[in-house]
Amino acid sequence: MNEEHKGSRRSGGPRKAQEIFDATLDLLADKGYEGLTIEGVAQRSGVNKTTIYRWWPSKGALLGAALIGARQLELTPPDTGTLAGDLEALLGTIATLLTVRPASDIAVSVLGAATHNPELAAHVKDFFADRIAREQSVFDRAVARGEITADTDAMLLVDLLAGAAWVRAVLRQLPLEKDFVARTVNIVLNGARAAG
Amino acid sequence: MNEEHKGSRRSGGPRKAQEIFDATLDLLADKGYEGLTIEGVAQRSGVNKTTIYRWWPSKGALLGAALIGARQLELTPPDTGTLAGDLEALLGTIATLLTVRPASDIAVSVLGAATHNPELAAHVKDFFADRIAREQSVFDRAVARGEITADTDAMLLVDLLAGAAWVRAVLRQLPLEKDFVARTVNIVLNGARAAG
């Protein structure tokens, strides 16, 4: 029993947390939020159902932990040496998450289902708060290099980039052209400098 | 019978099309996509169920027509005399659609449900294609006034604006601050000019 508490992640969790998170997101990608069950996660991860329930009392709680903890949605803040390079890397990752399966099935399912599921919406909110906190380092370094002023609204720049990808790929259902990332970053970065 | 074909809209429809569209979107706002039924629309609009079915054989088809034809989602392209003014009016309308009920219930429900419903997704795609076609006049006038160059990517500018509002209000579930519209338009417009 004690063994399950070893090697736990930030917020605690059983020993096989990564396998449970991966199974959760895989199942979500296959079956959608409605088809996601703790039973199904137990079966796919090979972890006992009662162990999963002990840590996460509902599928909403489990999915919330999986969103933040899972390898499949890993987003290490880039550090390319320039803000333009960092933002291109960031938007490139977001574009891939929204358009390349199976990550896109997960991301689009979760964000879509959150619009009519308050518990899931709370976890999506936490997920975005976690991400913007990690992305802040990109902007701190750009300020230190003198690329932008200290009062630049980092969240607005990220929302412009991520939002353009979401509208184009998910709502308009149009392909993201080869130069989408470079052109979008160029507009946002020039706009931020002119506004700063 | 013939009477129903009088006064039809662009794409054809029964005489009480607006009442049917309004009832469709009201019901969607109240019950979500799962709770939307043609029976319910008939009851709420006072139009016979068979009349509705004659024009729209499924709730997906009906919702698609309602999205494009309904007064509640009306979006007349602004004409304020400047591109900045027009884009602020456009983003102001989008921000209201995403945050003020009941419009926000409709917009967020439809766009969320479309992520896991291919028929609805096709109608959302048509809705966005219809909107960008109407918004084009804003950019044509700005080019004529010399505010932007003719090769400006109008869709990218609209996607940046609408996307930032979507990410902030729907995914992050944070309020759109009082100066959100002005600041967002300022960045996008300065960026477009610098890139052009």
Side-chain angles (χ1 to χ4, degrees):
Chain A
M1 206 62 102
N2 257 352
E3 188 194 7
E4 291 186 4
H5 293 262
K6 283 183 198 157
S8 64
R9 294 176 59 85
R10 277 180 296 162
S11 50
R15 192 169 50 86
K16 294 180 83 177
Q18 275 301 326
E19 286 80 353
I20 296 169
F21 293 160
D22 287 348
T24 302
L25 297 183
D26 283 346
L27 196 58
L28 182 78
D30 282 1
K31 313 259 181 178
Y33 186 70
E34 299 311 316
L36 176 66
T37 60
I38 293 206
E39 191 109 4
V41 171
Q43 201 163 13
R44 202 175 275 227
S45 65
V47 174
N48 202 291
K49 196 172 66 172
T50 53
T51 302
I52 300 176
Y53 272 115
R54 197 181 313 143
W55 287 95
W56 301 286
S58 68
K59 76 172 178 179
L62 174 59
L63 184 54
L67 286 177
I68 292 181
R71 283 179 291 234
Q72 286 161 295
L73 295 176
E74 199 82 59
L75 191 106
T76 308
D79 186 6
T80 63
T82 67
L83 181 55
D86 284 357
L87 294 184
E88 287 185 14
L90 202 63
L91 182 54
T93 304
I94 292 168
T96 300
L97 271 180
L98 294 180
T99 57
V100 180
R101 307 179 79 165
S104 60
D105 293 323
I106 297 169
V108 174
S109 294
V110 171
L111 300 179
T115 59
H116 44 85
N117 182 311
E119 188 190 359
L120 184 53
H123 293 297
V124 165
K125 185 175 179 173
D126 290 344
F127 170 75
F128 276 90
D130 177 73
R131 289 296 152 108
I132 194 70
R134 295 201 228 170
E135 288 152 1
Q136 186 60 45
S137 62
V138 162
F139 296 92
D140 292 343
R141 286 193 301 266
V143 171
R145 285 189 300 256
E147 292 183 283
I148 47 173
T149 59
D151 64 351
T152 301
D153 184 343
M155 188 186 279
L156 181 53
L157 304 196
V158 171
D159 289 356
L160 283 162
L161 298 173
W166 177 269
V167 173
R168 183 69 57 99
V170 180
L171 303 183
R172 291 197 196 277
Q173 298 154 64
L174 295 176
L176 300 179
E177 291 131 19
K178 204 160 49 102
D179 61 350
F180 172 82
V181 166
R183 290 172 56 228
T184 305
V185 167
N186 188 39
I187 290 179
V188 169
L189 201 47
N190 278 315
R193 286 191 186 125
Chain B
M1 204 65 97
N2 258 351
E3 189 193 6
E4 291 186 7
H5 295 264
K6 283 183 199 157
S8 64
R9 295 174 57 83
R10 278 180 294 162
S11 50
R15 191 170 49 88
K16 295 181 81 177
Q18 274 302 325
E19 287 81 352
I20 296 169
F21 293 160
D22 287 348
T24 302
L25 297 184
D26 283 346
L27 196 58
L28 182 78
D30 282 0
K31 313 259 182 180
Y33 187 71
E34 299 311 315
L36 176 66
T37 60
I38 294 210
E39 191 110 4
V41 171
Q43 202 162 11
R44 202 176 277 228
S45 64
V47 174
N48 200 291
K49 195 171 67 171
T50 54
T51 303
I52 301 177
Y53 271 115
R54 198 182 311 141
W55 287 95
W56 302 285
S58 68
K59 75 172 179 179
L62 174 59
L63 184 55
L67 286 177
I68 292 181
R71 284 179 291 235
Q72 287 162 294
L73 295 176
E74 199 82 58
L75 192 106
T76 308
D79 186 6
T80 63
T82 66
L83 180 55
D86 285 357
L87 294 184
E88 286 185 15
L90 201 65
L91 182 55
T93 304
I94 292 167
T96 300
L97 272 180
L98 294 180
T99 56
V100 180
R101 309 178 78 165
S104 61
D105 292 324
I106 296 170
V108 174
S109 293
V110 170
L111 300 179
T115 59
H116 45 84
N117 181 311
E119 188 190 358
L120 184 53
H123 293 297
V124 165
K125 185 176 180 172
D126 290 345
F127 170 75
F128 275 91
D130 177 72
R131 290 295 154 108
I132 193 70
R134 296 202 228 169
E135 289 153 359
Q136 186 59 44
S137 63
V138 163
F139 296 92
D140 291 344
R141 286 192 302 266
V143 171
R145 285 189 299 257
E147 292 183 283
I148 48 171
T149 59
D151 64 351
T152 300
D153 184 344
M155 188 187 280
L156 182 52
L157 303 197
V158 172
D159 290 357
L160 283 161
L161 297 174
W166 177 268
V167 173
R168 183 68 58 100
V170 180
L171 303 183
R172 290 196 196 278
Q173 299 153 65
L174 293 176
L176 299 179
E177 291 131 18
K178 204 161 48 106
D179 61 350
F180 172 82
V181 165
R183 291 172 56 229
T184 305
V185 167
N186 188 39
I187 290 179
V188 169
L189 201 49
N190 278 315
R193 286 189 185 127

